[in-house]
Amino acid sequence: MMVAGIGSRKGVSARDVLAVIETALEAHGLAMTALSALATASLKQNERAIFSAGRELALPVIIVEDDALKAASSRAISRSSLSQAHAGTPSVSEASALAAAGKDAKLLGPRIVLGPVTCAIAISGDAA
C-alpha cells in the first residue's frame, strides 16, 4: 500500500493539493497510479480540497485520528514547529502517511512543500 499524506494551510484549493501530490510522486519516480490512498490528520477533516483531490484521483481519503498521528510522529523526518504547535506532530503529511500505511510503513523521503500544501509518500511494510 502506498499512501500520500497531506498537510495544508486552511482554504487551499484542490489544484494545490493535486500539484503537490504530483510533485512528490515525480520526486520519487512514481506515477499517480501507484497510490492506494490519501491521508490527513483529523484536524483537516473539513478541508474540502483534500477530499476533492481524492475524488478526482478516485482514491479514498483516510482520516488519521490524533492518537495514531502522534504514535507515527516519532518516525517523521521533517520538523516544523508550526505543525507541532497546531497539530501536535512535527509533520502532518509525514505522520499521516505513516499512520495510514500501517505499523511498519516507511517514508520514501521527507515531505515535499509546494506553497501552502505538503505531501509525503509512505509505503506499507509488507510492500517495502
Side-chain angles (χ1 to χ4, degrees), residues 34-93:
L35 286 179
S36 307
L38 306 183
T40 195
S42 61
L43 71 115
K44 294 290 173 190
Q45 65 188 357
N46 295 320
E47 201 60 55
R48 291 183 183 154
I50 296 170
F51 293 91
S52 293
R55 280 190 301 277
E56 187 162 328
L57 298 172
L59 293 172
V61 177
I62 299 167
I63 299 299
V64 178
E65 296 301 323
D66 293 345
D67 290 346
L69 190 74
K70 287 179 183 163
S73 290
S74 64
R75 296 182 293 152
I77 298 169
S78 303
R79 303 278 175 220
S80 164
S81 56
L82 188 62
S83 178
Q84 187 68 54
H86 288 290
T89 180
S91 173
V92 168
S93 56

